């Protein structure tokens, strides 16, 4: 009977972890949960505070102030110790050997997660950025079940009740160090244990809504609900936990129906109330997707020997634990599916195994149905465990380019790089982007690996095995043809990026500096800078010697540029990539030179910006601050938004102030609805902002966030990005990007003696 428990012969072990050495993991709430639980034991049930052991690492904000009422008994507060791995593990191994009590309560509140092996672990306070120090829940249960708890080889503690308020999701953490408790299976006792968990596998333990909290009460949803039914007014330190658990489940069911939470508590009963038959499993109600896949698996693996063979093969391919019920020789289909769903890349590995397992009874239709169910269960994974491990090893090999930098070459992959903190997070994001055969598109992850393989092949002469890895995965996923085409295109682009670009320098002169953009008369001169030639070449421009309106000047420039679009070096098979750089007067910086119509391969009126990189320089800028600002920008090698300053061109004073406050900024994006941007452009050119990017529209409207995809780039990558965007301008996703123009200056790109403002200094043929 639970009524027979004497509160004076009740002890408690309470752990609350809020503050970690890795500050990003700090969380508020667990200390309030622990204090509320202790208050129930001491004030509500009469348990002496000397019977309570508290390990806590609270945040400073969680500690009561000098004027606040105490949250713990004074004696317990002085005995409180930190919840570090060394302190907690030593107490579990040696600190409870002399206990003689009717009941031991254990309450734990803090961060929890599911590690790579599928185990539920609890994170301790000395977890650093590089290493998360944890205690395995199974190891904790083993320690509490062992002979080291209680006198007379464990006989002094007949019952233990445990409440664990910790998440069971799977964050992107791989550096996990489990703290050993030093307990062997042979020293486990038959004492009764009742363990209640705040949530099921894959879920998070949530904070209670603010409106439901009371002063001095628990802050988390599960402890708040649990204490509501533990504190039933009878002052019993051990009410009927079956009834309490049922009531907690019923309340969470109501919350889920109201869509206030997805959290679903779970429990484990072991030898409780004299019953010695128990599975020993953590009973997690399967999700609808898991049940659907398990039902299909029962038809494929109809007998126990087939399921046993499947589980054995899974263990060879994955660090997976497939539970088997007590008294059973082989696992059930549900146990196999649940174990695979808890293990990273477990479901794809299971689906791949079924296709080759001799004992599996599969047909084409059955396999397709199972694969569809697996996709619904784990839509963010399609690599098997072996494929993922191989890819990680290949990307870590020496000689390969930085994968995160290489991914920036493809605009379809760039947002994955911006959102991912490291290489592992990048792979997770790319894999989660999908792999569907019916879409006809190449999966982003395979697009990424082909890009890295192409870059490695061009720069190092070998792709490091990435091409073979991609081909293997593509055969399984049905993307062999599209991957081959993508890899060929990626190699061509990588080779083009590696080759030197030919630059055509064109300087325009204006007869009336006060005239509106495009309304003046112009002359022009041109030089060709090609690394294959020792000296720049001054090009003959007979039509550019006389001032002409912009319409006639466009035609003359088109005749000059068209032969160079198919420029080829001697002995080279591919044409040279051409970039056109315009030097414009201050008042003509908005002249739309990228729209000069040219004839290319028999097609008239093709915008120049769709065929070549087009950048703009201010011909009359001051040179004092350009070198300094450009070098400062290059000191920050990592790409990102820190290179960018976004400002409204209409507010020139605010733009000047912002540039003065940001000496390291590398790019300015002007936005707004101003009809005339020239003053802002002139100022940026004069003060030395290396790159200016903006959108130009016929109607003068410049929408916000048009350049969001570019802000993850380093400024030196912008000309190449502009060329790619204009070349893909026919695609719906980049519609309008052919309006993109750069006001550009990189003092180190050209030889110092190339000065278009002093044409007499340039050698002529």
């Amino acid at each position: 009977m639970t009524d027979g428990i004497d509160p004076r012969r009740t002890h408690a072990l309470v752990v609350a972890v809020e503050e970690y050495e890795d500050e990003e993991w700090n969380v508020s709430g667990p200390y309030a949960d622990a204090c509320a639980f202790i208050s129930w034991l001491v004030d509500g049930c009469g348990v002496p505070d000397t019977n309570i052991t508290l390990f806590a690492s609270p945040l400073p904000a969680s500690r009561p102030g000098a004027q606040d009422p105490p949250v713990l008994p004074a004696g317990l507060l002085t005995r409180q110790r930190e919840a570090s791995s060394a302190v907690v593990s030593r107490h579990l191994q040696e600190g409870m050997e002399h206990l003689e009590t009717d009941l031991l309560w254990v309450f734990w509140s803090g961060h929890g997660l599911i590690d790579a092996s599928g185990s539920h672990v609890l994170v301790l306070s000395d977890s650093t950025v590089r290493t998360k120090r944890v205690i395995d829940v199974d190891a904790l249960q083993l320690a509490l079940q062992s002979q080291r708890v209680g006198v007379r080889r464990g006989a002094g503690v007949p019952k233990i009740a445990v409440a664990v308020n910790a998440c069971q999701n799977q964050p992107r953490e791989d550096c996990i160090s489990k703290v050993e408790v030093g307990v062997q299976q042979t020293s486990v006792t038959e004492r009764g244990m009742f363990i209640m968990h705040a949530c099921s596998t894959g879920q998070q333990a949530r904070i209670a809504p603010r409106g439901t909290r009371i002063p001095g009460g628990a802050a988390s949803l599960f402890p708040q609900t649990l204490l509501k039914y533990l504190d039933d007014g009878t002052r019993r330190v051990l009410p009927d936990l079956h009834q309490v658990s049922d009531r907690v489940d019923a309340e969470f069911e109501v919350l889920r129906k109201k869509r206030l939470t997805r959290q679903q508590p779970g429990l484990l009963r072991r030898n409780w109330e004299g019953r010695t038959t128990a599975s020993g499993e953590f009973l997690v109600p399967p999700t609808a997707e898991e049940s659907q896949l398990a039902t299909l698996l029962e038809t494929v693996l109809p007998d126990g020997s087939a399921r046993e063979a499947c589980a054995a093969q899974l263990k060879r391919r994955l660090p997976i634990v497939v539970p088997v019920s007590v008294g059973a020789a082989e696992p059930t289909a549900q146990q196999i599916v649940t174990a695979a769903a808890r293990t990273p890349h477990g479901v794809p590995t299971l689906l791949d195994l079924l296709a080759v397992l001799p004992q599996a009874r599969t047909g084409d239709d059955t396999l397709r149905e199972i694969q569809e169910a697996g996709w619904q269960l784990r839509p963010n994974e399609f690599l098997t465990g072996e494929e993922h491990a191989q890819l990680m090893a290949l990307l870590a090999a020496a000689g390969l380019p930085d994968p995160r930098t290489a991914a920036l070459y493809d605009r379809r992959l760039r947002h994955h790089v911006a959102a991912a903190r490291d290489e592992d997070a990048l792979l997770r994001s790319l894999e989660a982007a999908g792999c569907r055969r019916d879409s006809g598109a190449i999966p982003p992850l395979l697009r990424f690996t082909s890009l890295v393989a192409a870059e490695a092949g061009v720069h190092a002469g070998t792709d490091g095995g990435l091409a073979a890895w991609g081909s293997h995965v593509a055969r399984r996923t049905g993307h062999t043809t599209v991957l081959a085409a993508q890899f060929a295109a990626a190699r061509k682009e990588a080779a083009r990026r590696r080759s030197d670009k030919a630059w055509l320098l064109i300087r325009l002169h204006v007869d009336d500096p006060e005239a509106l953009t495009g309304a003046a008369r112009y002359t022009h001169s041109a030089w060709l800078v090609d690394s294959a030639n020792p000296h720049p070449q001054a090009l003959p421009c007979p039509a550019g010697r006389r001032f002409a309106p912009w319409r006639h000047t466009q035609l003359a420039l088109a005749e000059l540029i068209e032969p160079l679009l198919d420029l080829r070096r001697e002995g080279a098979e591919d044409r040279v990539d051409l970039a056109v750089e315009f030097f414009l007067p201050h008042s003509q910086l908005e002249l739309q030179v990228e729209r000069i119509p040219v004839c290319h391969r028999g097609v008239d009126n093709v915008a120049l910006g769709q065929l070549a990189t087009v950048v703009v320089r201010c011909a009359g800028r001051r040179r004092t601050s350009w070198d300094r600002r450009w070098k400062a920008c290059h000191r920050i090698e990592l790409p990102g938004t820190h290179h960018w300053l976004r400002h409204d061109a209409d507010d020139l004073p605010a733009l000047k102030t912002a540039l003065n406050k940001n000496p390291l900024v590398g790019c300015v994006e002007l936005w707004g609805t101003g009809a005339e941007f020239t003053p802002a452009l002139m100022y940026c050119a004069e003060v030395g902002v290396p790159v200016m990017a903006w959108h130009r529209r016929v109607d003068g409207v410049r929408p916000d966030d048009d350049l969001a995809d570019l802000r993850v780039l380093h400024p030196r990558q912008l000309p190449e990005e502009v060329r790619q965007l204009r070349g893909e301008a026919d695609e719906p996703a980049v519609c309008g990007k052919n309006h993109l123009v750069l006001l550009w200056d990189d003092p180190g790109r050209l030889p110092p003696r190339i000065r278009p403002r002093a044409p007499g200094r340039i050698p002529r043929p």
Side-chain angles (χ1 to χ4, degrees):
M1 295 292 294
T2 57
D3 298 3
I5 301 295
D6 186 352
R8 293 171 299 178
R9 288 178 53 80
T10 297
H11 285 69
L13 167 63
V14 181
V15 182
V17 193
E18 289 188 337
E19 188 173 27
Y20 299 82
E21 289 188 26
D22 181 359
E23 295 181 356
E24 290 188 3
W25 281 63
N26 287 353
V27 60
S28 61
Y31 191 65
D33 299 336
C35 293
F37 186 81
I38 292 172
S39 176
W40 168 68
L41 287 175
V42 176
D43 300 331
C45 301
V47 176
D49 65 85
T50 54
N51 291 3
I52 299 175
T53 302
L54 174 62
F55 299 102
S57 297
L59 290 169
S62 300
R63 303 175 187 268
Q67 305 301 323
D68 297 330
V71 295
L72 291 173
L76 181 59
L77 193 60
T78 59
R79 298 194 307 274
Q80 173 182 311
R81 288 180 285 174
E82 65 175 347
S84 63
S85 57
V87 175
V88 174
S89 64
R90 182 169 182 176
H91 184 78
L92 290 175
Q93 295 181 64
E94 302 175 2
M96 295 182 285
E97 292 180 342
H98 303 293
L99 275 182
E100 186 164 10
T101 180
D102 295 340
L103 172 68
L104 173 64
W105 261 107
V106 178
F107 180 86
W108 190 302
S109 186
H111 272 308
L113 54 92
I114 300 295
D115 67 4
S117 66
S119 300
H120 185 198
V121 295
L122 305 172
V123 188
L124 295 160
S125 65
D126 53 343
S127 296
T128 64
V129 175
R130 296 178 61 88
T131 305
K132 298 297 175 284
R133 292 178 172 83
V134 301
I135 283 186
D136 192 300
V137 171
D138 291 336
L140 173 64
Q141 174 187 327
L142 201 64
L144 295 174
Q145 198 81 22
S146 71
Q147 297 175 2
R148 294 188 177 186
V149 178
V151 296
R152 302 187 304 277
R153 299 180 62 83
V157 180
K159 283 190 174 183
I160 298 180
V162 184
V164 179
N165 179 54
C167 299
Q168 293 198 51
N169 61 333
Q170 193 164 18
R172 299 167 183 174
E173 294 291 338
D174 290 331
C175 300
I176 292 178
S177 175
K178 290 185 180 180
V179 178
E180 295 295 333
V181 295
V183 177
Q184 298 179 354
Q185 188 72 33
T186 55
S187 64
V188 173
T189 67
E190 292 298 321
R191 69 167 56 95
M193 183 175 290
F194 198 106
I195 303 179
M196 294 170 285
H197 290 265
C199 55
S200 301
T201 304
Q203 297 179 345
Q204 291 180 313
R206 297 294 186 181
I207 297 293
R210 292 191 177 275
T212 64
R213 301 184 196 175
I214 59 175
S220 303
L221 192 57
F222 174 72
Q224 184 185 83
T225 309
L226 177 64
L227 287 171
K228 174 182 176 181
Y229 294 110
L230 287 176
D231 191 5
D232 57 1
T234 62
R235 295 184 63 86
R236 290 185 301 174
V237 75
L238 186 63
D240 186 344
L241 292 186
H242 293 284
Q243 187 178 37
V244 169
S245 177
D246 290 341
R247 290 177 176 177
V248 171
D249 289 345
E251 181 152 333
F252 271 89
E253 179 68 23
V254 173
L255 294 174
R256 287 194 298 276
K257 288 181 179 179
K258 293 180 179 180
R259 297 187 177 182
L260 298 177
T261 184
R262 296 176 57 191
Q263 192 172 333
Q264 185 170 2
L267 58 89
L268 166 65
R269 299 180 294 271
R270 187 177 183 85
N271 302 330
W272 194 254
E273 295 181 350
R275 290 182 293 184
T276 58
T277 55
S279 67
E281 304 166 39
F282 175 46
L283 304 179
V284 181
T287 64
E289 291 80 8
E290 290 175 346
S291 298
Q292 180 184 2
L293 182 57
T295 301
L296 294 172
L297 194 63
E298 287 177 354
T299 63
V300 176
L301 304 174
D303 54 76
S305 60
R307 294 193 295 272
E308 187 176 11
C310 179
Q313 290 294 329
L314 273 178
K315 292 176 182 178
R316 292 190 181 98
R317 299 175 66 172
L318 282 175
I320 192 172
V321 178
V322 181
V324 181
S325 300
V326 172
E330 65 280 328
T332 64
Q334 185 66 66
Q335 288 170 331
I336 293 175
V337 171
T338 302
R342 295 184 189 180
T343 307
H345 304 282
V347 173
T349 305
L350 173 61
L351 301 182
D352 185 57
L353 174 61
L354 292 177
V356 297
L357 188 68
Q359 293 87 347
R361 301 177 183 177
T362 58
D364 293 340
D365 293 339
T366 306
L367 274 178
R368 279 193 295 268
E369 193 173 1
I370 287 179
Q371 288 169 352
E372 185 64 28
W375 169 261
Q376 293 175 1
L377 176 57
R378 282 291 178 268
N380 60 337
E381 292 179 350
F382 67 89
L383 296 182
T384 66
E386 300 100 320
E387 290 167 351
H388 181 264
Q390 290 168 3
L391 179 57
M392 292 293 292
L394 290 173
L395 292 177
L400 287 179
D402 182 3
R404 290 170 57 81
T405 302
L408 292 175
Y409 286 126
D410 194 320
R411 63 173 180 80
R412 299 172 183 85
L413 308 177
R414 193 166 301 132
H415 67 279
H416 295 282
V417 181
R421 295 179 300 174
D422 51 31
E423 186 175 302
D424 179 58
L426 173 61
L427 292 184
R428 290 176 186 267
S429 178
L430 290 168
E431 186 179 7
C435 174
R436 300 302 295 263
R437 298 184 186 182
D438 52 5
S439 66
I442 184 172
L445 181 61
L446 295 184
R447 176 182 287 274
F448 163 74
T449 55
S450 64
L451 181 64
V452 178
E455 287 292 317
V458 168
H459 291 277
T462 175
D463 59 25
L466 280 171
W469 180 91
S471 299
H472 168 75
V473 176
R475 282 194 297 271
R476 182 174 62 81
T477 61
H479 294 92
T480 302
T481 303
V482 291
L483 178 64
Q486 170 64 27
F487 187 46
R491 281 188 295 187
K492 185 176 180 180
E493 283 293 305
R496 185 195 54 72
R497 280 192 293 269
R498 189 167 183 260
S499 63
D500 295 322
K501 191 189 295 277
W503 288 85
L504 175 63
L505 310 184
I506 298 177
R507 182 177 182 183
L508 294 182
H509 302 265
V510 63
D511 64 342
D512 182 6
E514 302 298 327
L516 296 176
T517 302
R521 297 170 63 85
Y522 307 89
T523 60
H524 62 270
S525 51
W527 298 264
L528 181 64
V529 180
D530 185 1
S531 60
N533 298 308
H535 303 292
Q537 307 171 60
L539 302 181
C541 302
R545 297 173 185 173
R546 299 181 300 275
F547 282 102
W550 177 236
R551 183 169 176 270
H552 292 167
T553 302
Q554 281 184 308
L555 297 177
L557 291 175
E559 292 180 358
L560 174 69
I561 295 170
E562 285 168 1
L564 300 176
L565 291 173
D566 287 318
L567 179 67
R568 297 175 183 271
R569 295 196 183 103
E570 185 177 354
E573 296 181 0
D574 297 331
R575 66 181 178 85
V576 177
D577 194 29
L578 179 70
V580 186
E581 191 160 355
F582 289 88
F583 293 80
L584 303 182
H586 282 86
S587 62
Q588 305 295 312
L589 289 176
E590 288 205 275
L591 201 64
Q592 297 182 354
V593 291
E594 77 282 1
R595 296 186 181 180
I596 293 176
V598 297
C599 178
H600 182 60
R601 298 182 180 177
V603 179
D604 291 324
N605 297 323
V606 180
L608 175 63
Q610 296 187 21
L611 303 174
T613 304
V614 177
V615 297
V616 176
R617 288 201 196 193
C618 181
R621 64 164 174 82
R622 294 197 303 251
R623 295 182 298 156
T624 54
S625 59
W626 281 87
D627 289 342
R628 181 176 67 253
R629 204 179 259 275
W630 185 249
K631 291 176 181 177
C633 176
H634 270 252
R635 283 200 296 270
I636 307 178
E637 288 294 329
L638 294 177
T641 55
H642 49 262
H643 288 297
W644 284 81
L645 174 68
R646 298 186 69 241
H647 225 281
D648 190 342
D650 282 350
D651 194 351
L652 190 57
L655 174 62
K656 294 179 179 180
T657 302
L659 284 173
N660 290 334
K661 291 182 178 179
N662 294 273
L664 301 182
V665 74
C667 318
V668 175
E669 176 189 350
L670 293 181
W671 55 273
T673 57
E676 179 59 67
F677 271 29
T678 297
L681 300 182
M682 289 174 57
Y683 180 75
C684 291
E686 290 175 357
V687 299
V689 180
V691 179
M692 170 69 64
W694 77 99
H695 272 265
R696 305 202 282 188
R697 300 285 182 85
V698 175
D699 56 8
V701 177
R702 296 163 172 83
D704 297 352
D705 294 329
D706 268 0
L707 303 181
D709 292 343
L710 298 181
R711 296 189 203 116
V712 297
L713 296 176
H714 195 282
R716 62 174 175 266
Q717 296 174 292
L718 282 171
E720 174 63 27
E721 180 65 14
V722 170
R723 190 202 68 80
Q724 289 192 30
L725 284 174
R726 289 193 183 130
E728 300 168 347
D730 292 334
E731 299 183 17
V734 290
C735 183
K737 292 295 178 69
N738 56 344
H739 299 288
L740 184 64
V741 175
L742 298 180
L743 172 66
W744 174 268
D745 203 295
D746 175 358
R749 187 186 62 75
L750 297 176
R753 58 194 180 89
I754 300 299
R755 302 295 184 197
R757 287 175 296 159
R761 296 174 56 190
I762 297 181
R764 299 180 181 274

